[in-house]
């Protein structure tokens, strides 16, 4: 017996890693970073429409596996993501992810996508969007401390969205720094490799930390940070994992995505539960102030939030329309009679 071809209702667009890379090159890396930032900003400006909850995390000694859901009332989205710092020593990615969008009215999925590559892009786009709001005027140099998988994306996002012209690299693994410098060659940035974090931050008005160790760390100590800088702290993203000395936080104005999640996972887990923070959506909508002086220290305590993934998936869904950058997956059962799923099964018997 020949099984009938799946109906249109059964098919869901799937963006594979290969198609995602093709899409990125079709759009252009920097243009895609700017586009993602625009979608993230648009969704942060309608923040109050979204369902918001801290991600559901399953922790182990080796790492964490998380689900990150949200909805704007019309579209539902979630991301599956892991974080396993030991993986690179075994030839594996520290972070892998995939995501889904669904129509709230029917519950039917409308997009399934890889998100390992996309998460790197949306994380960098978010960092640069916030730095554009908070960094000192005229900031042209960024220190990139931690030169793993995220470092090139962060550097290019800061160039594309904030206009930086120089990036200063440091990692405890010199091979990681060499890799990052090699990948950024010819990308329009002046790239310096540094032998210490202190050297990296010299002259930098934007400092980005993105390290992977699952521990309380002091990548930046209190005496390293002077007035008039913006810090993107993006490596800390689970309980017990931080990058900044508490003294830096005490002297800074701190900005977050979603306090209920950041107080558990971010740098501010080191502070009192009522330590004041400002939500980024409030700055974008004019309900709160961002940078108010040239000597102010601002910190974006970023742990990643589901709305950013929702925005990234929205962007991809819009970009792949009328293109070949997806497969149509036979993912949903569609019997002739919605009440006769078993009959559909029986008719497929050969």
């Amino acid at each position: 017996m020949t099984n009938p071809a799946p109906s249109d209702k059964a098919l869901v667009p799937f963006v594979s890693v290969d198609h995602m890379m093709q899409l990125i090159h079709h759009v252009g890396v920097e243009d895609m970073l700017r586009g993602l930032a625009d979608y993230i900003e648009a969704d942060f400006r309608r923040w109050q429409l979204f369902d918001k909850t801290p991600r559901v995390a399953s922790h182990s000694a080796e790492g964490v596996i998380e689900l990150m859901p949200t909805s704007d009332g019309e579209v539902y989205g979630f991301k599956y993501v892991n974080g396993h710092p030991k993986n690179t020593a075994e030839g594996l990615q520290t972070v892998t992810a995939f995501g889904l969008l669904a129509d709230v009215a029917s519950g039917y999925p409308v997009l399934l996508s890889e998100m390992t590559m996309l998460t790197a892009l949306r994380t960098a786009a978010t960092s640069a969007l916030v730095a554009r709001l908070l960094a000192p005027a005229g900031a042209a140099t960024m220190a990139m401390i931690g030169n793993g998988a995220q470092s090139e994306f962060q550097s290019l996002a800061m160039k594309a969205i904030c206009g930086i012209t120089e990036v200063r690299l440091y990692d405890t693994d010199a091979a990681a720094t060499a890799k990052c410098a090699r990948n950024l060659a010819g990308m329009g940035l002046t790239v310096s490799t540094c032998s210490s974090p202190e050297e990296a931050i010299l002259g930098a008005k934007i400092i980005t930390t993105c390290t992977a160790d699952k521990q309380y760390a002091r990548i930046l100590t209190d005496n390293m940070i002077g007035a008039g800088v913006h810090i993107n702290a993006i490596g800390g993203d689970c309980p017990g994992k931080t990058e900044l000395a508490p003294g830096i936080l005490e002297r800074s104005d701190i900005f977050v995505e979603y306090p209920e999640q950041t107080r558990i996972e971010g740098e501010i887990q080191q502070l009192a539960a009522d330590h004041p923070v400002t939500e980024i959506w409030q700055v974008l909508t004019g309900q709160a102030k961002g940078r108010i002086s040239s000597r102010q220290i601002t910190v974006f305590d970023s742990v990643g939030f589901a709305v950013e993934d929702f925005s990234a998936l929205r962007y991809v869904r819009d970009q792949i329309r009328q293109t070949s950058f997806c497969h149509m997956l036979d993912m949903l059962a569609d019997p002739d009679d919605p009440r006769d799923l078993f009959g559909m099964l029986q008719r497929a018997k050969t």
Side-chain angles (χ1 to χ4, degrees):
M1 177 179 179
T2 302
N3 293 331
S7 72
D8 290 344
K9 294 178 183 177
L11 299 176
V12 177
F14 167 60
V15 180
S16 67
V17 174
D18 183 56
H19 277 138
M20 184 63 72
M21 293 190 294
Q22 290 182 43
L23 175 63
I24 294 166
H25 287 300
H26 173 74
V27 175
V29 175
E30 293 188 32
D31 282 341
M32 188 158 176
L33 286 162
R34 282 187 283 262
L36 286 166
D38 289 343
Y39 272 60
I40 293 165
E41 178 175 355
D43 284 341
F44 269 63
R45 287 181 179 276
R46 58 192 191 112
W47 183 258
Q48 291 168 307
L49 292 178
F50 284 90
D51 293 336
K52 292 174 285 291
T53 182
R55 53 187 154 211
V56 180
S58 177
H59 292 278
S60 68
E62 292 76 24
V64 63
I65 295 174
E66 300 168 330
L67 293 178
M68 301 173 64
T70 193
S71 172
D72 66 356
E74 295 184 4
V75 179
Y76 170 88
F78 79 84
K79 182 173 79 172
Y80 165 98
V81 62
N82 77 295
H84 286 67
K86 70 176 183 61
N87 276 6
T88 51
E90 301 172 7
L92 302 173
Q93 290 284 298
T94 299
V95 175
T96 64
F98 66 87
L100 179 142
L101 290 180
D103 175 50
V104 168
S106 67
Y108 269 44
V110 296
L111 177 70
L112 177 65
S113 178
E114 85 80 36
M115 287 196 75
T116 306
M117 193 73 66
L118 186 57
T119 293
L121 287 160
R122 78 88 166 127
T123 302
T126 303
S127 293
L129 168 64
V130 174
R132 188 173 66 193
L133 289 173
L134 300 179
T141 301
M142 178 179 75
M144 184 71 236
I145 300 177
N147 301 154
Q150 180 67 212
S151 56
E152 296 92 343
F153 297 95
Q154 289 284 326
S155 300
L156 291 175
M158 292 294 175
K159 173 179 179 281
I161 295 167
C162 300
I164 70 162
T165 58
E166 180 180 1
V167 60
R168 299 174 62 81
L169 306 175
Y170 171 74
D171 195 293
T172 55
D173 180 359
T177 300
K179 175 271 305 179
C180 185
R182 184 171 61 251
N183 286 340
L184 290 175
M187 294 285 186
L189 286 166
T190 300
V191 179
S192 302
T193 60
C194 303
S195 58
S196 69
E198 289 85 355
E199 182 185 353
I201 66 177
L202 284 175
K205 291 298 184 181
I206 300 173
I207 302 169
T208 298
T209 58
C210 187
T211 59
D213 285 343
K214 191 178 180 184
Q215 62 179 347
Y216 286 113
R218 300 288 185 271
I219 307 302
L220 298 181
T221 57
D222 193 14
N223 65 322
M224 291 169 64
I225 302 301
V229 298
H230 172 66
I231 302 171
N232 288 309
I234 62 175
D237 57 4
C238 66
K241 181 182 175 188
T242 61
E243 297 180 311
L244 308 186
I248 298 172
L249 301 172
E250 295 285 359
R251 295 189 289 120
S252 303
D253 291 301
I254 302 170
F255 299 81
V256 303
E257 292 135 322
Y258 183 57
E260 288 85 342
Q261 180 173 294
T262 310
R263 292 192 191 277
I264 296 169
E265 300 178 350
E267 297 298 324
I268 58 174
Q269 66 184 275
Q270 303 178 83
L271 304 180
D274 61 351
H275 189 91
V277 298
T278 302
E279 296 180 56
I280 285 298
W281 73 269
Q282 295 173 314
V283 180
L284 282 166
T285 57
Q287 297 182 43
K289 293 181 179 179
R291 175 167 291 275
I292 56 175
S293 78
S294 61
R295 294 188 56 77
Q296 183 182 12
I297 301 171
T298 55
V299 172
F300 179 36
D301 188 1
S302 176
V303 297
F305 191 65
V307 171
E308 296 155 18
D309 300 306
F310 181 96
S311 306
L313 288 166
R314 271 205 318 115
Y315 174 86
V316 168
R317 187 187 181 195
D318 288 349
Q319 292 298 314
I320 65 170
R321 288 193 174 114
Q322 309 303 316
T323 75
S324 59
F325 302 134
C326 67
H327 301 288
M328 300 307 292
L329 289 186
D330 181 9
M331 189 172 165
L332 306 173
D334 183 37
D336 295 335
D337 179 350
R339 299 164 298 180
D340 191 17
L341 188 62
F342 188 79
M344 178 182 177
L345 171 65
Q346 292 298 91
R347 288 189 292 276
K349 188 185 296 182
T350 57

